[in-house]
Structures are given as C-alpha cells and as structure tokens.
Amino acid sequence: LAAKVGLSEEQVQSAVAALGQSHAEPGDTVEAAAAKTGLSTDALSQVMQGIGGEGALAKVSGLIDRDGDGNPLNDLAGLAGKLFGK
C-alpha cells in the first residue's frame, strides 16, 4: 500500500491511525486526518480506499477506541502504560 500511494510505511501507519481516530469524530474524516498528519487529503483518500474505505475505518476506529467512549486517546494512553509498566 505504501508503494502504491507513494508514502513510507511509517506514513501509512500514521495515516491509518489518524483516519481511524478521525472517523469517530464529527466532520470530514479525511480532512481531520490531514490536519493531524500533515499528509495531503489525496494521499489519505488513497490510503482509506486501500484499506477498504469507510467500513474498514469503522473497524479500525473500534479497535483504537476500546471502551467505545469516542475518545481513543485514553485507550492508547492506557495501552502505552501497560507496555511500559505504568
């Protein structure tokens, strides 16, 4: 996917995370992810289509926001704390 859209693997990972997070927020998913990552909306649209579109984003968003409160950041912070023994 990275080669197909002309991004590095790290950029694609960042894009998928930002798209998943932005999908759960009000407003345009791609524009919000672009603001978070600095990647173009065109590149983010290509990444979104490459992972399966909006339906796939709902799954990614659900994985990131484990408690379903609409805020995946607290879940990521809790996961990081577990990984680093806090």
Side-chain angles (χ1 to χ4, degrees):
L1 180 59
K4 183 178 176 183
V5 298
L7 299 173
S8 70
E9 289 183 29
E10 293 80 17
Q11 287 174 310
V12 170
Q13 290 173 357
S14 175
V16 170
L19 286 164
Q21 180 184 13
S22 298
H23 181 72
E25 299 170 351
D28 185 89
T29 299
V30 172
E31 288 181 14
K36 290 175 181 147
T37 62
L39 297 171
S40 72
T41 56
D42 189 42
L44 287 162
S45 292
Q46 290 179 34
V47 169
M48 184 170 66
Q49 292 311 309
I51 63 170
E54 290 282 339
L57 287 180
K59 291 179 183 176
V60 170
S61 181
L63 291 173
I64 294 172
D65 184 16
R66 292 191 173 275
D67 61 7
D69 67 354
N71 179 11
L73 296 178
N74 64 340
D75 301 298
L76 292 174
L79 178 62
K82 289 178 185 175
L83 289 174
F84 297 108
K86 293 185 177 186

